Structures are given as structure tokens and as C-alpha cells.
Amino acid sequence: MNARTTRFLALPIALLSLAASAAGDASPHSVGTPLCPARSTLRSCSAAAAEDGQGRGGCPPRQIADAASRESPRRSNQIPSRSERDELSNDDLDRVLKVTRPTTDFSKAEQFEAMSGGATTTIASIDEKVFSQLLANLPFEAEQNFKLGKALFEKLWVSSPSSTQASDGLGPLYNARACASCHPRDGRGRPPEGAVADATSMFYRLARPPRDAAERQMIAAHEVLNFPDPVYGAQMQDSAVPGLAAEGRIVITYEEVPVTLSGGEPVTLRKPHYAVADLGYGAMDPETTLSPRVAPAMIGLGLVEAIHEADILANADPDDRNGDGISGRAALVRDRQSGAVTLGRFGWKAQSPTVLQQAADAFAIDIGISTPGLDLSHGDCTAAQAACLRLPTGVQPRLGPVEAPDPVLGLVTFYSVSLAVPARRKASFPETLKGKRLFYEAGCPACHTPKYVTRRDAAHTEVAFQLIWPYSDFLLHDMGEGLADGQPVGIANGREWRTPPLWGIGLTRTVSGHTFLLHDGRARNFAEAVLWHGGEAEMARNAFAAMSGDDRKALLTFLESL
């Protein structure tokens, strides 16, 4: 182990010792053990799910094959061709196509449905720590890296120079001092609310449109996603190291919008208006747009990365050739590591192709820490912020050219891809199944694609060939003027957002202590979130609004179970 590694592992190892003491002698495999034994039959798995009372009926992935033989044909526009999943044998591909067909039977839970993350699903106790569990099938020898990554995810960075050389390099401008500050307990962020009005887990992305043909060509060639504000950069940082002015402060005002649902039920939506106060470096460019975003939950990222591109692209219909009113566009972005144009699938605009790149971006822009994935030791400081650029960084020549050298980014990425999705609750209950049927009848699965089988050749063997239930197509959709931020990101225009996965969404209050939903947290509950859907999702929104009160309640019960 060299000096560079020792520097960054010293603190995590100390934290590991504390964690081990707190954990007592619990077996590392006591969490997430499949409920069904390896040799159990499908019948016994279903029975286990029913008897469990929580709707949790998990079975090893090899039983997918048996379940597949009992399914009906999948919709033609969702079937990837055999050549597109060339990592599968013909037999495997047949099994995958059958098991991922949309269900037409809502009389009972589908087999393995309660295990949202397949064999990786955690069945840990439902409490505020349930999003912080490791993959249930993660081998014992990998747990050390998971815990090291967790310690680095929670690490508080400090400004330079500092006697704490393992933790310096913060900012100089920043939004948070740790990854965990934006993703508390690995859950969702929130807009500033109430007397405290903490804006740590929400920020503004800043961008202006291209100004000439050359800049438009840069976007078309995927060389850039958009153009930052010339003074404030790509993101507004509301914090700064001592002696430096922060860039500004988020200001949100809400306008009450009354809505009346079928049966006369009144609902009030709150329409946000965004502004910046206390600008520290003069005016923004008049064409700069503010895109408010809260930090999403961290669960299931490794599984999302393991979905084959063909299975996502198969649902894209940019010209709406099937005439269902749903287009869905694949976000194509430049992978900084390979240099290739590839599928974006992470972030609110699907702007990142991999978890590693997403993590490197967050280190650099949110915290101001440079890594081998993105070498920005002054974070998001611009040439117009000379005082920021004059401040020292945490780069130490003996450790390399960045503030957080290997293995920091790799360990945080490993932690991020190894966070498990919790098992469903009450998936087999009659009210949940009724809500599921209504979810399908309203057309929600057109974007919230229920299930996939991950690639067999996934980089992490634990997430390979798993039947998973994220309820997302990971494509860009026009969500209407109500949710528009007016800010293009790559090929995504100012009205388009990536369909977010829904797994774990029913646990938002348990984990994060609130129920704020959508990209900016404007929705205070599921009903408001559905009613904000417009554009391609307006038909589904209207179907929800036209339901009877009992039906709407059942659909919301289904969402709570995810």
C-alpha cells in the first residue's frame, strides 16, 4: 500500500472500526438472504410471498427460466432483436423476452415482483437506514470496499490549506461538504422549506443557449451539453470557503393552483417561481436559465447501469410512429473515459452515461474536489471569479495531480453501485393489485417500464442477469410546460426530463423525512406529482384525475408499495 492510498484510507479504516463495534456480531449475510431456498419451487415462492404478508417472495435468478415459460407475448415495440442482446444465448434471450412482458393478470402479484432488485434486493428492516444496505448477494470479501466507500461518501471535506491533509480541497465555491449532505441516508434531497430553509440538497444548474452555428455544432457533436453562465459557471454554489463570497442564495416563492378532481375532490398544487438573491459576482448573463434540481435517491444505481442499452433503446419512439402520444428519446452523451458517444441514463436529464462519471461530476461541481474522473481543483470557479482562482487547492504533488486521487473515486463509485433496493411492501394485497391494474390502464407503463433483466456480462457479477423492477424507461420525455425549466442539456430540450425510477419511492418519508417529489420537490405527495404530469404524460394524468376517489386511492396505494 503506497503513501497516497494510506492517506485516504486512514480515516475510513478508523470509521470501519467504529462501525464494526456498533454492528456487533451480526452475520454479514444476515441481511438480504433470499426468502426462498435455492431448491424451492415456484409454487413455494409464491406461497412464501403470500404468507409473508409483506408481499415479499424472492427466488434465485435461475428460477426466472421457469417463470418465463408461463408468460404471454410482449408488445412488439418493446422487443429487442436477438442480435441486440448478443451477450445472451438464444435460450436465455427467449427467457428474458417472456419474463419481461407486461402482465395482463392483476389477480395476484407477479412472480418475483416483490424483489425489486432481484437477488440483490435487501429485506432489511424498514427504517431510515433501509436505503443504505448493501446488495444482498455482495460477497463477504467485497464488504470492506463497500464500507470504505461509505466512509468516503460521508466524509466532510475542508478548505485548503489544512492540517487535515486527507480531507482538504473543499471548493473554493461549493454546495455541500460531503456526498451524504445532498443524499441524506442515501435518500432524496428536498427544497428549502420552513424556518431552517436548508438548501444543501437542492441547487440551480445554470446554462445559456448556443449563440451561433459553431456552438450549435458543438452540441450536435456531443462535445458539450450546453454553455455555462460566463460568470457563475455550470451551477450556482451557495457556499464558499472563509474569505470568499458565495455566489448567491436560492429564493423560491409558490403560487397556489387549485385543481378539482372527479367527484369534486379539491387539490391545490403549488407552482414554484425561482430567483437568486445576494448575487456575489455581479449580474448573470441575461440568457442564463435556472434549472432547480433536488438530489435523487442512491439505490439501485448498479442495476440501472447493468440494463442492456438495447432494452432501453427498444422503447424509444422519437417520432411516435405507433401513434400512442408517447415518444421517448434516448439521451446520447459523450463518455469522458472512452471518448465515445453513448447512452445517457443517470441524472434528471440523463446527462451521465455511468455512475463513475456522475460521481466525478458531483465531486467537482457540488463539492469542488478534483478526481481522476474530472480534474477541476477549483471546482466550478470561472475566469471571471479571479479571487476564487487565486485560492489554494488541496492538490499535493506527492499524491498526484488531483485532490482526491485513486482509490477515492473508485471506492465511492463502488459504494454507489452496491446500494440495494428494498423489497416491496404489500405487493400481493388486493388494494395494491387494484392500484397496479389502474396504473396500467391509465397508461403509466408507457414511460414507467416495469421490469428488465440485466445483462449477463455486467461489470459487477452481483447485478448480472437479475430480473429487476425499476419502473422507468430511462428515456427523455416532454413533460409539458408546467414542469419545463427551459434549459437544454445535450439533446434534451427545456421541456424534457428522464423518466425517474420509482423503486423505493414509497419509502421517501421513512428515509428522508419528507414526501417532496419531482425534480424540484414541488409536489408534496403522490397525487400532486401525478397531477403535474403534462406533455406526453397528460393522458395518464387526466385518467388519474377522472378516476373515482376509491380508484385514485388504490393507485396511490400501489405507488406506496414500490
Side-chain angles (χ1 to χ4, degrees):
M1 184 177 292
N2 58 34
R4 183 172 66 180
T5 304
T6 303
R7 172 194 175 200
F8 283 89
L9 294 189
L11 177 59
I13 288 174
L15 292 175
L16 268 181
S17 300
L18 294 174
S21 300
D25 59 356
S27 165
H29 297 294
S30 63
V31 173
T33 303
L35 295 179
C36 295
R39 294 184 178 181
S40 63
T41 64
L42 292 175
R43 180 182 299 278
S44 67
C45 288
S46 298
E51 292 168 1
D52 173 69
Q54 300 293 309
R56 303 181 298 194
C59 294
R62 62 184 176 186
Q63 293 175 333
I64 290 172
D66 301 324
S69 65
R70 306 177 187 184
E71 300 288 344
S72 55
R74 189 181 183 181
R75 290 187 311 192
S76 60
N77 67 343
Q78 293 184 322
I79 299 176
S81 71
R82 288 175 182 275
S83 62
E84 289 170 327
R85 289 213 49 177
D86 54 7
E87 97 282 13
L88 298 178
S89 67
N90 288 341
D91 287 345
D92 277 349
L93 185 56
D94 287 340
R95 294 156 60 191
V96 168
L97 294 177
K98 289 176 181 176
V99 79
T100 53
R101 291 182 195 123
T103 187
T104 56
D105 181 2
F106 302 97
S107 64
K108 59 183 182 300
E110 296 173 73
Q111 288 171 328
F112 318 119
E113 181 179 1
M115 301 296 279
S116 296
T120 74
T121 306
T122 179
I123 55 169
S125 300
I126 301 301
D127 57 27
E128 64 179 17
K129 298 179 180 178
V130 73
F131 281 8
S132 301
Q133 306 299 319
L134 47 75
L135 301 177
N137 60 352
L138 196 69
F140 176 74
E141 57 270 22
E143 290 188 24
Q144 175 172 303
N145 283 343
F146 178 86
K147 292 174 181 175
L148 290 170
K150 177 179 176 63
L152 291 166
F153 189 83
E154 297 172 347
K155 178 188 183 76
L156 289 172
W157 296 85
V158 299
S159 58
S160 299
S162 169
S163 59
T164 312
Q165 295 185 352
S167 302
D168 61 346
L170 176 69
L173 295 166
Y174 62 95
N175 293 100
R177 291 181 57 199
C179 306
S181 300
C182 291
H183 306 274
R185 295 180 291 276
D186 301 295
R188 290 175 56 85
R190 55 174 296 167
E193 298 272 343
V196 178
D198 180 10
T200 302
S201 58
M202 181 179 187
F203 54 80
Y204 287 155
R205 282 286 171 84
L206 310 175
R208 62 166 179 80
R211 289 175 174 159
D212 53 36
E215 290 190 345
R216 285 190 286 275
Q217 177 57 33
M218 292 175 69
I219 292 176
H222 307 287
E223 295 174 8
V224 298
L225 292 171
N226 50 31
F227 296 92
D229 182 87
V231 175
Y232 291 89
Q235 187 164 301
M236 194 194 80
Q237 280 89 20
D238 56 2
S239 298
V241 300
L244 184 69
E247 292 189 318
R249 180 169 53 85
I250 289 176
V251 176
I252 311 174
T253 54
Y254 291 104
E255 172 187 352
E256 299 295 317
V257 179
V259 177
T260 302
L261 306 180
S262 173
E265 179 183 348
V267 174
T268 301
L269 304 180
R270 55 177 195 171
K271 179 179 180 181
H273 298 277
Y274 294 104
V276 181
D278 305 328
L279 281 172
Y281 300 86
M284 286 187 182
D285 187 287
E287 292 189 289
T288 293
T289 52
L290 308 177
S291 179
R293 304 178 195 180
V294 298
M298 296 292 296
I299 57 172
L301 298 183
L303 293 166
V304 174
E305 197 166 61
I307 297 174
H308 199 289
E309 284 188 359
D311 286 351
I312 295 176
L313 297 175
N315 289 323
D317 185 17
D319 299 320
D320 191 20
R321 292 184 176 180
N322 64 4
D324 66 353
I326 307 296
S327 59
R329 299 200 299 150
L332 300 179
V333 298
R334 182 78 61 181
D335 186 315
R336 286 199 300 267
Q337 278 195 311
S338 68
V341 175
T342 187
L343 177 68
R345 62 181 80 188
F346 297 103
W348 286 107
K349 297 273 190 175
Q351 70 273 14
S352 294
T354 63
V355 177
L356 186 144
Q357 190 160 310
Q358 180 85 349
D361 290 350
F363 263 115
I365 307 302
D366 298 349
I367 309 177
I369 296 293
S370 56
T371 67
L374 189 56
D375 184 3
L376 294 176
S377 296
H378 281 95
D380 193 31
C381 296
T382 69
Q385 295 168 322
C388 180
L389 294 177
R390 284 196 298 268
L391 290 173
T393 70
V395 174
Q396 301 174 55
R398 66 187 178 87
L399 300 174
V402 294
E403 294 162 316
D406 288 333
V408 174
L409 179 61
L411 287 170
V412 170
T413 302
F414 182 79
Y415 174 71
S416 301
V417 301
S418 301
L419 286 167
V421 179
R424 292 271 305 278
R425 287 81 52 210
K426 304 178 182 178
S428 60
F429 280 28
E431 182 77 355
T432 307
L433 292 169
K434 176 185 175 182
K436 179 182 175 183
R437 173 177 59 79
L438 293 163
F439 182 84
Y440 275 65
E441 290 177 354
C444 305
C447 301
H448 289 286
T449 306
K451 50 190 171 178
Y452 300 85
V453 174
T454 57
R455 355 180 19 127
R456 206 181 245 295
D457 59 353
H460 299 276
T461 56
E462 297 78 24
V463 299
F465 209 53
Q466 299 295 324
L467 174 60
I468 64 173
W469 307 73
Y471 284 89
S472 172
D473 61 5
F474 303 99
L475 296 173
L476 298 169
H477 292 276
D478 182 340
M479 294 300 293
E481 193 59 33
L483 290 177
D485 65 350
Q487 186 174 104
V489 178
I491 71 166
N493 65 39
R495 292 165 55 105
E496 289 180 315
W497 297 94
R498 180 204 69 156
T499 307
L502 297 182
W503 50 17
I505 198 168
L507 296 170
T508 301
R509 181 190 295 278
T510 301
V511 173
S512 304
H514 64 80
T515 57
F516 300 119
L517 300 171
L518 299 176
H519 68 277
D520 56 2
R522 71 177 67 185
R524 291 163 291 194
N525 51 52
F526 286 124
E528 291 185 22
V530 175
L531 293 171
W532 271 110
H533 282 49
E536 297 174 39
E538 188 158 358
M539 286 189 293
R541 177 262 180 216
N542 290 343
F544 173 78
M547 291 177 185
S548 68
D550 287 344
D551 284 355
R552 281 195 296 272
K553 181 181 176 184
L555 192 148
L556 299 179
T557 297
F558 167 69
L559 294 175
E560 286 279 357
S561 77
L562 296 176

